[in-house]
Amino acid sequence: MGLHARWFIHYKCLSMPSSIDSITKSLGAKADFYLNHKCTTIAKERLHLPGGDFVDRIFGPTNRNNRVLNNLDWMLNTGRLAGTGYLSILPVDQGIEHSGGASFAKNPDYFDSENIVKLAIEGGCNAVASTFGVLASVSRKYAHKIPFLVKINHNQILTYPNTFDQTMYGTVKEAYEMGAAAVGATIYFGSPECNRQIVEVSNAFAEAHSYGMVTVLWCYLRNPAFKTKDKDFHVSADLTGQANHIGVTIQADIIKQKLPENNGGYTALQMGDSSYGKIDKRVYTELTTDHPIDLTRYQVANCYMGRQGLINSGGASGAHDFDEAVTTAVINKRAGGMGLISGRKAFQRPLAEGAKLLNAVQDVYLCQEVTVA
């Protein structure tokens, strides 16, 4: 019996359909708002939705080689969500992006790289995403047990004053040689360095595909003009949707995006005599509403109507982590997304508690009563 089949069977026994009761409790007074919303903007019938046949149905006809399909299949058949078409990924690259102290002071155990991989396995994740250093330090022990997603570029914040740019930290070949199933990268769309990053990441993704690795793009926005005194349009549906659209254009297999919190970034930046981008008012009048599920549906639509899966990030750790993580998962699933990539909420607490939080997210995707809106 192959490795993929062993993991599938092991977790299939643990992954029975989950009860709606705990999910409803986490949603609280907004349970009806989230669980009974019907999307009337872009109908679910127009989407390519996750499912057990996702690799064959969606990626089989593409230009991806058989080794890419095999690694994507491995990711989708690992952990508690095996066979569902959904993903639960643990990302821990904050030691570089936010500093080790800011990330791990709350739980110093995670200065030890092995504990990051242990949490992903204990938490039933489909994959673990981290830096070259973290994953290389334990690759011979774990790279065959859980899919590795190597983050190949990062922003470092030691430069004074802080600057914001993504720099390559290693090569695609290094990721391949440590046994990685996938590589991930960030592009800061809207930043002055954006065009250079697009070229770098496009080339890296092409090389990764040639080696048979899956590609995951963090499609983040970065420009001071996107944040006004009233709103932060770094999380607007229209701007993040366009970032996603560029991401799938450079052949990212999976898009990671922040959950949208507002809309109208394009129109806000066209105030006065300024001109920014191009937009159609129907984006706001027909393709979106102010409901979080509809805003996220627009993100999914920009991923070729779901041909490339949308995974939303879990956000910062806080006082209501469990409820917020469940809410984010409900929004993503009901919008037609492919899953969640949640880190700080999980690793900034003891391992057993972090695994429990990851399981709470996964339970949303296992719950048959949480349907696509």
Side-chain angles (χ1 to χ4, degrees):
M1 184 182 295
L3 174 68
H4 299 185
R6 288 201 302 271
W7 274 78
F8 179 81
I9 291 173
H10 172 65
Y11 277 104
K12 187 134 178 113
C13 297
L14 301 177
S15 303
M16 300 303 291
S18 302
S19 168
I20 192 69
D21 295 340
S22 61
I23 296 169
T24 301
K25 184 178 179 181
S26 290
L27 297 174
K30 285 202 162 187
D32 181 70
F33 177 75
Y34 289 117
L35 293 175
N36 294 319
H37 173 71
K38 180 174 176 59
C39 183
T40 58
T41 54
I42 299 169
K44 64 181 179 182
E45 290 78 14
R46 302 172 81 171
L47 302 179
H48 303 279
L49 296 171
D53 63 343
F54 195 79
V55 174
D56 288 339
R57 172 166 48 93
I58 301 301
F59 279 88
T62 70
N63 66 340
R64 274 50 160 193
N65 62 50
N66 286 341
R67 291 166 297 159
V68 174
L69 302 187
N70 187 58
N71 275 319
L72 183 57
D73 188 72
W74 181 24
M75 290 174 66
L76 287 169
N77 284 296
T78 295
R80 292 184 73 232
L81 298 184
T84 65
Y86 290 107
L87 291 169
S88 168
I89 299 175
L90 176 72
V92 188
D93 62 348
Q94 291 88 345
I96 301 299
E97 298 279 348
H98 302 161
S99 88
S103 302
F104 306 132
K106 190 173 182 179
N107 187 357
D109 286 345
Y110 289 94
F111 276 110
D112 185 336
S113 55
E114 185 174 11
N115 286 329
I116 293 170
V117 182
K118 284 182 176 179
L119 174 60
I121 293 174
E122 183 70 19
C125 292
N126 300 74
V128 57
S130 197
T131 65
F132 276 102
V134 165
L135 296 176
S137 70
V138 292
S139 62
R140 288 185 183 270
K141 186 173 182 179
Y142 291 108
H144 61 294
K145 296 180 179 179
I146 184 171
F148 277 14
L149 196 175
V150 180
K151 186 69 166 35
I152 60 176
N153 68 357
H154 300 283
N155 173 53
Q156 58 84 18
I157 53 173
L158 270 178
T159 303
Y160 187 85
N162 287 165
T163 57
F164 298 94
D165 191 10
Q166 289 288 324
T167 304
M168 290 291 176
Y169 271 55
T171 66
V172 171
K173 186 178 180 182
E174 286 178 275
Y176 169 75
E177 288 180 343
M178 78 167 74
V183 296
T186 298
I187 293 176
Y188 282 152
F189 291 103
S191 72
E193 299 81 17
C194 177
N195 286 341
R196 190 205 81 236
Q197 292 169 12
I198 289 173
V199 172
E200 289 177 350
V201 174
S202 295
N203 290 337
F205 279 7
E207 184 180 4
H209 280 151
S210 74
Y211 282 117
M213 290 184 286
V214 177
T215 57
V216 184
L217 187 63
W218 276 240
C219 286
Y220 286 174
L221 302 178
R222 182 77 69 177
N223 193 302
F226 293 168
K227 189 170 185 178
T228 70
K229 62 180 181 180
D230 299 316
K231 289 184 179 180
D232 185 356
F233 292 107
H234 288 95
V235 286
S236 71
D238 55 351
L239 296 181
T240 56
Q242 181 59 20
N244 292 358
H245 201 67
I246 299 173
V248 295
T249 298
I250 65 172
Q251 298 194 79
D253 300 318
I254 298 166
I255 296 295
K256 179 191 176 187
Q257 185 56 268
K258 295 179 181 179
L259 203 69
E261 297 177 11
N262 55 60
N263 209 356
Y266 273 111
T267 55
L269 291 165
Q270 290 176 339
M271 294 171 60
D273 296 327
S274 66
S275 176
Y276 178 73
K278 294 183 182 294
I279 197 67
D280 188 308
K281 65 180 181 181
R282 283 169 289 198
V283 168
Y284 311 113
T285 60
E286 297 179 17
L287 302 185
T288 61
T289 71
D290 60 359
H291 197 289
I293 292 172
D294 293 344
L295 296 176
T296 309
R297 174 69 55 89
Y298 186 71
Q299 290 184 340
V300 173
N302 276 280
C303 297
Y304 296 154
M305 287 293 193
R307 286 183 182 273
Q308 270 61 52
L310 171 72
I311 54 176
N312 288 118
S313 52
S317 181
H320 306 287
D321 283 349
F322 277 78
D323 293 344
E324 289 173 358
V326 168
T327 300
T328 303
V330 168
I331 293 170
N332 172 272
K333 182 180 183 182
R334 300 212 70 221
M338 186 180 252
L340 227 58
I341 179 163
S342 184
R344 279 170 288 174
K345 283 179 168 38
F347 71 74
Q348 290 185 338
R349 50 184 14 100
L351 187 144
E353 191 178 338
K356 185 178 178 182
L357 185 143
L358 292 168
N359 291 168
V361 166
Q362 295 153 9
D363 285 346
V364 172
Y365 295 96
L366 292 171
C367 182
Q368 296 177 356
E369 295 170 88
V370 179
T371 59
V372 179

